[in-house]
Structure formats: structure tokens, C-alpha cells
């Protein structure tokens, strides 16, 4: 009975999504007009093809991350624009779990990469985390794992964040002060003072002093009588 309720909930969610006005349904509607195949069948075929591609296709990592990001991002924007706050909490919980999972995957990806059908299982995990069911994966992981750890270390984390923020602000202020003082010092060295031009003029020899009077040169020349 539980599985029937799950499948029924997923089917209702899919029907609701296919009846909405968005880019995906517009594209499926265009295909339905050209091929005569119903949108639901086209959606099932696309999902089946995606599953096979995640197992055997090239670029499965990109496709898996796109699935885990695009659909939740779309509904997160809708949750922000809606007056209700319940859907905001739901998708915030998903993004917290998604961030924790991505952080853990970053350090273990070199080993998980060789696991058979890893991206297919990852895609199923992300779908479970965003699924519209009572035992939603993000809710379970947040309440059982993330929340207890956060509440246990909340005070220590707040102190650490405050200390790091204070040090970063102090370092930024010192760096800004040092850059400004360096720029002012360099500008003072480059800009010429008002007394530099006359001193250069004094240093140059006068053109009149280098000239020799004709009378003086003629007197110094010896006279030779024939």
C-alpha cells in the first residue's frame, strides 16, 4: 500500500508539472503537435533515455548534476515568489543537504568515480531528496544527521565564524591602508617639485660663454713677417 501511494503521488506530481506553463511543457507540446504522441508518453521516453544515458553515456556527471540542480532551482524560484513559507523551508532543506553531499563527494570523488553505475545511483539519490513524498530524502538526512550535528556544535561554529570574519576584516583594512600609502609615496616620488626646472636651467652652460671674441683670438695669433 505504501508503494502505491508513492507512485500515485509521483504520478500526480508529474501530471501537475506537465499541465503547467513552462519551457519543458512548451517543448513537449510542440513535439506532441508534430508527432501526435501524447506529452506523458514523451516524458516517460525522455526519462527512460536519461536513465540509460546515465549508465552508458558520455558526460553522465554533467547530466546528473544538471538534474540535481535545474529542477530544484526552478521550484526554489517559484517558492521565493509564492506567499507561503512552507515550500521555502522545503527547498532550503534540499539545498543544505545538496551542499553537504557535494562537499563529501569532492573529497571522495576519486574513489566513487570507479564505482559501477555511480552517476545513476547519484541521480536516484538526488531525486529521492527532492521527491514530493513524506519520507523525502532531504528531510530525513537533515533531521537525522545535519541538524543534530549543527545544534551540537552551533556555538563553536559561531565563535569560529566570528573570529575568522574579524581577522579577515582586519587584514583587509591593513592591506587597503598599505596599498594607499604605497600609492601616495610613489606619486610623491614621480611628481617633480617647483624648484627642479630652474636648477636644471642653471646647470646648463651659457651659449654666450662658449663663444670667443674675434678680437681676442686675433691678438693671440703670432705675426710672421716675410
Amino acid at each position: 500500500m505504501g508503494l502505491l501511494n508513492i507512485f500515485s503521488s509521483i504520478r500526480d506530481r508529474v501530471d501537475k508539472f506537465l499541465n503547467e506553463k513552462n519551457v519543458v511543457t512548451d517543448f513537449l507540446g510542440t513535439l506532441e503537435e508534430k508527432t501526435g504522441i501524447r506529452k506523458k508518453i514523451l516524458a516517460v521516453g525522455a526519462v527512460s533515455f536519461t536513465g540509460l544515458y546515465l549508465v552508458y553515456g558520455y558526460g553522465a556527471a554533467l547530466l546528473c548534476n544538471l538534474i540535481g540542480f535545474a529542477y530544484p532551482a526552478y521550484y526554489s524560484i517559484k517558492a521565493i515568489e509564492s506567499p507561503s513559507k512552507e515550500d521555502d523551508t522545503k527547498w532550503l532543506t534540499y539545498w543544505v543537504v545538496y551542499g553537504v553531499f557535494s562537499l563529501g563527494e569532492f573529497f571522495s570523488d576519486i574513489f566513487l568515480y570507479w564505482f559501477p553505475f555511480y552517476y545513476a545511483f547519484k541521480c536516484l539519490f538526488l531525486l529521492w531528496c527532492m521527491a514530493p513524498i513524506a519520507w523525502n530524502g532531504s528531510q530525513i538526512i537533515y533531521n537525522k544527521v545535519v541538524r543534530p550535528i549543527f545544534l551540537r556544535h552551533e556555538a563553536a561554529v559561531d565563535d569560529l565564524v566570528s573570529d575568522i570574519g574579524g581577522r579577515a576584516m582586519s587584514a583587509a583594512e591593513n592591506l587597503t591602508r598599505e596599498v594607499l600609502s604605497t600609492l601616495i609615496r610613489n606619486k610623491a616620488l614621480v611628481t617633480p617639485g617647483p624648484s627642479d626646472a630652474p636648477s636644471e636651467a642653471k646647470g646648463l652652460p651659457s651659449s654666450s660663454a662658449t663663444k670667443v671674441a674675434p678680437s681676442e683670438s686675433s691678438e693671440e695669433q703670432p705675426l710672421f713677417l716675410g
Side-chain angles (χ1 to χ4, degrees):
M1 187 65 179
L3 291 176
L4 292 177
N5 292 333
I6 293 171
F7 288 131
S8 177
S9 176
I10 294 175
R11 184 185 62 187
D12 294 340
R13 185 80 177 195
V14 170
D15 292 338
K16 181 181 178 181
F17 176 78
L18 292 176
N19 292 326
E20 291 179 352
K21 183 72 174 177
N22 51 60
V23 178
V24 177
T25 55
D26 290 343
F27 178 72
L28 291 176
T30 304
L31 289 180
E32 183 179 15
E33 293 176 359
K34 292 183 177 181
T35 61
I37 304 174
R38 292 187 302 170
K39 288 192 294 185
K40 185 180 294 186
I41 298 177
L42 291 172
V44 171
V47 171
S48 302
F49 174 77
T50 303
L52 292 174
Y53 190 86
L54 287 171
V55 176
Y56 302 106
Y58 178 77
L62 177 62
L63 180 60
C64 182
N65 291 328
L66 187 62
I67 292 173
F69 176 81
Y71 177 84
Y74 172 75
Y75 274 95
S76 296
I77 296 173
K78 293 192 67 172
I80 293 173
E81 297 299 327
S82 68
S84 176
K85 296 300 179 183
E86 182 179 354
D87 49 0
D88 297 0
T89 304
K90 170 188 174 182
W91 290 112
L92 279 173
T93 304
Y94 171 82
W95 289 117
V96 169
V97 174
Y98 182 85
V100 173
F101 174 78
S102 299
L103 183 63
E105 185 187 32
F106 175 79
F107 293 102
S108 59
D109 185 60
I110 190 172
F111 305 106
L112 296 176
Y113 178 79
W114 300 101
F115 188 77
F117 312 131
Y118 166 66
Y119 291 110
F121 285 109
K122 176 184 175 181
C123 188
L124 290 175
F125 170 77
L126 294 176
L127 290 174
W128 174 54
C129 288
M130 67 179 79
I133 53 180
W135 44 282
N136 177 276
S138 58
Q139 297 289 337
I140 293 176
I141 295 174
Y142 177 80
N143 291 323
K144 299 294 183 180
V145 179
V146 178
R147 187 172 183 272
I149 295 176
F150 172 76
L151 294 178
R152 193 180 307 122
H153 303 285
E154 182 179 5
V157 172
D158 288 342
D159 294 338
L160 180 62
V161 171
S162 178
D163 183 57
I164 293 175
R167 292 185 180 182
M169 185 65 67
S170 177
E173 291 177 356
N174 294 334
L175 180 62
T176 304
R177 192 181 301 111
E178 190 70 24
V179 170
L180 290 177
S181 62
T182 303
L183 291 175
I184 294 173
R185 193 182 309 114
N186 293 338
K187 185 178 180 181
L189 292 175
V190 171
T191 305
S195 61
D196 291 347
S199 63
E200 292 178 358
K202 291 180 181 179
L204 294 175
S206 176
S207 59
S208 61
T210 58
K211 295 181 180 179
V212 180
S215 58
E216 295 178 357
S217 59
S218 60
E219 291 177 358
E220 293 177 356
Q221 293 178 355
L223 296 175
F224 295 96
L225 299 176

